[in-house]
């Protein structure tokens, strides 16, 4: 099936009954590429990581080992499209939105500092790599105090708590500056 703009869609054609109601089909997701490889400054090195490096239950995407030239522990970075992540049920996601997960080695403060510095560079790099990405989200376990601190220090804002199939998470997000700076006041809305 093709959309009116000629792009393929993942939706099945209507067959009558409930399936023919567009309101229950969900978002139209045309061929969206996997997550981009971020281009960070020369102080960071990204190397593809083996599949076994991340926890077994993770959404499809790409995983890297990230090291900083100034030393410190290596970090594991996993990127996926929100459309392939369980967090997709938590908000009205865009087809190009990204989900990020970081695995820090142990709980050393140096790892937390490195991870938050990485996130502050990662978000602008991902927005530059995918001009259609409007939001980057993360969903640490609700009991992961270290992950929540790292995300907040890395420029992600805490949005809400949510229940996913594997347990409770806290949704964090960062948006493109041109989106984040838009007023949501009712007086500023066009009428």
């Amino acid at each position: 099936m093709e959309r009116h703009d000629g792009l393929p869609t993942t939706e099945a054609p209507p067959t009558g009954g409930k399936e023919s109601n567009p309101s229950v089909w969900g978002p139209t997701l045309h061929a969206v590429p996997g997550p981009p490889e971020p281009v960070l400054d020369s102080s960071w090195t990204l190397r593809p990581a083996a599949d076994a490096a991340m926890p077994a239950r993770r959404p499809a995407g790409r995983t890297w080992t990230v090291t900083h030239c100034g030393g410190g522990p290596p970090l594991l970075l996993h990127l996926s499209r929100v459309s392939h992540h369980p967090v997709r049920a938590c908000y009205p996601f865009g087809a190009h939105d990204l989900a990020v997960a970081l695995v820090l080695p142990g709980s050393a403060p140096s790892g937390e500092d490195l991870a938050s510095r990485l996130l502050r560079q990662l978000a602008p790099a991902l927005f530059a790599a995918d001009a259609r990405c409007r939001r980057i989200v993360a969903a640490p376990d609700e009991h992961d105090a270290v992950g929540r601190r790292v995300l907040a220090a890395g420029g992600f804002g805490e949005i809400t708590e949510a229940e996913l199939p594997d347990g409770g998470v806290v949704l964090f997000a960062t948006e493109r500056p041109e989106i984040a700076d838009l007023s949501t006041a009712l007086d500023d809305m066009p009428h």
Side-chain angles (χ1 to χ4, degrees):
M1 181 174 190
E2 289 192 1
R3 300 179 343 169
H4 68 280
D5 56 7
L7 295 173
T9 179
T10 59
E11 296 174 358
T15 58
K18 185 176 175 183
E19 294 83 22
S20 66
N21 181 352
S23 67
V24 297
W25 289 355
T28 300
L29 300 177
H30 54 84
V32 176
E37 180 171 348
V39 178
L40 303 172
D41 73 26
S42 61
S43 63
W44 298 96
T45 303
L46 272 74
R47 290 195 173 85
D51 286 341
M54 289 295 283
R57 295 188 64 134
R58 70 181 189 293
R62 299 174 71 183
T63 304
W64 295 273
T65 300
V66 185
T67 54
H68 191 267
C69 70
L75 307 169
L76 286 176
L77 168 67
H78 183 77
L79 295 175
S80 61
R81 293 288 179 192
V82 170
S83 59
H84 299 287
H85 193 287
V87 78
R88 70 184 172 270
C90 298
Y91 77 98
F93 67 91
H96 289 261
D97 288 1
L98 292 166
V100 62
L102 279 175
V103 176
L104 285 68
S107 58
S110 63
E112 288 184 43
D113 180 55
L114 273 178
S116 61
R117 286 194 290 166
L118 171 62
L119 287 172
R120 285 191 299 273
Q121 281 199 16
L122 181 66
L126 289 171
F127 289 136
D130 185 349
R132 295 182 68 186
C133 176
R134 64 185 179 121
R135 185 176 292 127
I136 303 167
V137 300
D141 182 272
E142 63 188 339
H143 302 293
D144 183 0
V146 171
R148 293 170 73 171
R149 277 195 311 269
V150 165
L151 287 161
F156 283 67
E158 187 173 322
I159 305 301
T160 191
E161 295 180 5
E163 286 296 320
L164 297 180
D166 290 337
V169 298
V170 179
L171 184 64
F172 281 78
T174 188
E175 296 178 320
R176 292 182 164 280
E178 61 269 21
I179 292 174
D181 294 341
L182 288 176
S183 173
T184 58
L186 289 176
D187 290 340
D188 294 338
M189 300 291 162
H191 358 329

